Amino acid sequence: MTDPRLLAHAALEQSSVVANNAMNRERGLSGVNSYTRDLGFDPFALLSSRLPAAVSWVDVCCGSGRALLEAEARFAAELPDADVTLLGIDLVGYFQSSPRTSRLRLRTASAHDWHPAHPAHPADLVTCVHGLHYIGDKLALLTTMAGWLTPGGTLAAHFDPGSIRHRDGSSAARHVLAEFRGAGVEYDSRRHLVTARGPAAPRFPATYLGADDTAGPGYTGQPAVTSHYDW
């Protein structure tokens, strides 16, 4: 890496911008400050609509896991016989509580390194709610998450195209959005939300160089990470 600002994954995950225990702490499943509000759909309703087949939800950068814990409680109360798997991954692992049933697993892991234990069993829903702001190789993670989807499954991830930069720091947003269009991936600029339906396979002709944790606030107003690539 030629630019000293650009951090590799291990150094980035030690940054106070990334390894914080405040991100996604209070966001629940539904209500004013919730996944339903931020995503524009109710994850519980989406999963319920795919029953009675087995359904699964993977939430990357799940924070405290509050939304998953509330989904676990709703399934236990309303659909106790449903075959549901809920999985949350978070770098910090500062979870609100432990799972109450075997339906839910909460894992402390790097989003860069984690992979499903059973890749032959893909997910009906994959979410990353305001988590990509803190990821280094955002494009690789988007590609990976899309690859976890079942046919007809849903990927929903908040994303800022302006956080993708060329080596010299200039915006690469135009390249990213063009690749989205070519892969059938949708981007809602009002919600800052990437959505895709499985099977989806976005591919980006770019080489990751590293991330800058000194870029300042993103569209949320909180400090965020810019990701730099050669295209």
Side-chain angles (χ1 to χ4, degrees), residues 127-152:
T127 54
C128 188
V129 175
H130 296 295
L132 283 169
H133 313 321
Y134 308 99
I135 295 296
D137 194 349
K138 297 172 177 45
L139 301 184
L141 184 55
L142 278 170
T143 298
T144 297
M145 291 190 298
W148 296 340
L149 294 175
T150 61

Side-chain angles (χ1 to χ4, degrees), residues 156-181:
H158 289 97
F159 177 70
D160 179 6
S163 68
I164 306 301
R165 307 286 178 85
H166 293 290
R167 180 186 290 269
D168 64 4
S170 61
S171 175
R174 180 174 59 84
H175 292 288
V176 177
L177 294 176
E179 294 300 326
F180 282 168
R181 288 190 293 271

Side-chain angles (χ1 to χ4, degrees), residues 94-118:
Y94 195 73
F95 302 122
Q96 187 178 68
S97 69
S98 299
R100 297 174 178 85
T101 69
S102 60
R103 281 183 167 138
L104 173 60
R105 290 172 291 155
L106 298 173
R107 296 286 184 261
T108 303
S110 165
H112 290 117
D113 301 329
W114 185 88
H115 297 284
H118 302 288

Side-chain angles (χ1 to χ4, degrees), residues 14-205:
Q14 297 300 313
S15 163
S16 61
V17 172
V18 175
N20 71 82
N21 65 10
M23 191 273 289
N24 210 10
R25 296 295 119 192
E26 303 300 326
R27 196 173 281 108
L29 183 64
S30 60
V32 175
N33 182 22
S34 70
Y35 278 41
T36 296
R37 182 184 179 112
D38 281 8
L39 295 174
F41 65 87
D42 179 354
F44 180 84
L46 185 151
L47 293 171
S48 299
S49 72
R50 298 184 70 117
L51 296 171
V55 296
S56 63
W57 174 14
V58 178
D59 187 24
V60 181
C61 303
C62 69
S64 70
R66 179 179 171 185
L68 290 166
L69 287 159
E70 291 179 1
E72 177 193 36
R74 283 194 64 182
F75 277 112
E78 300 175 28
L79 296 163
D81 297 324
D83 187 351
V84 178
T85 299
L86 307 170
L87 174 61
I89 301 107
D90 191 73
L91 177 65
V92 177
Y94 195 73
F95 302 122
Q96 187 178 68
S97 69
S98 299
R100 297 174 178 85
T101 69
S102 60
R103 281 183 167 138
L104 173 60
R105 290 172 291 155
L106 298 173
R107 296 286 184 261
T108 303
S110 165
H112 290 117
D113 301 329
W114 185 88
H115 297 284
H118 302 288
H121 301 282
D124 298 273
L125 175 62
V126 178
T127 54
C128 188
V129 175
H130 296 295
L132 283 169
H133 313 321
Y134 308 99
I135 295 296
D137 194 349
K138 297 172 177 45
L139 301 184
L141 184 55
L142 278 170
T143 298
T144 297
M145 291 190 298
W148 296 340
L149 294 175
T150 61
T154 298
L155 167 67
H158 289 97
F159 177 70
D160 179 6
S163 68
I164 306 301
R165 307 286 178 85
H166 293 290
R167 180 186 290 269
D168 64 4
S170 61
S171 175
R174 180 174 59 84
H175 292 288
V176 177
L177 294 176
E179 294 300 326
F180 282 168
R181 288 190 293 271
V185 175
E186 297 182 7
Y187 180 67
D188 182 336
S189 59
R190 183 177 66 85
R191 292 188 180 274
H192 303 279
L193 190 69
V194 171
T195 56
R197 298 289 182 268
R203 292 290 183 268
F204 302 97

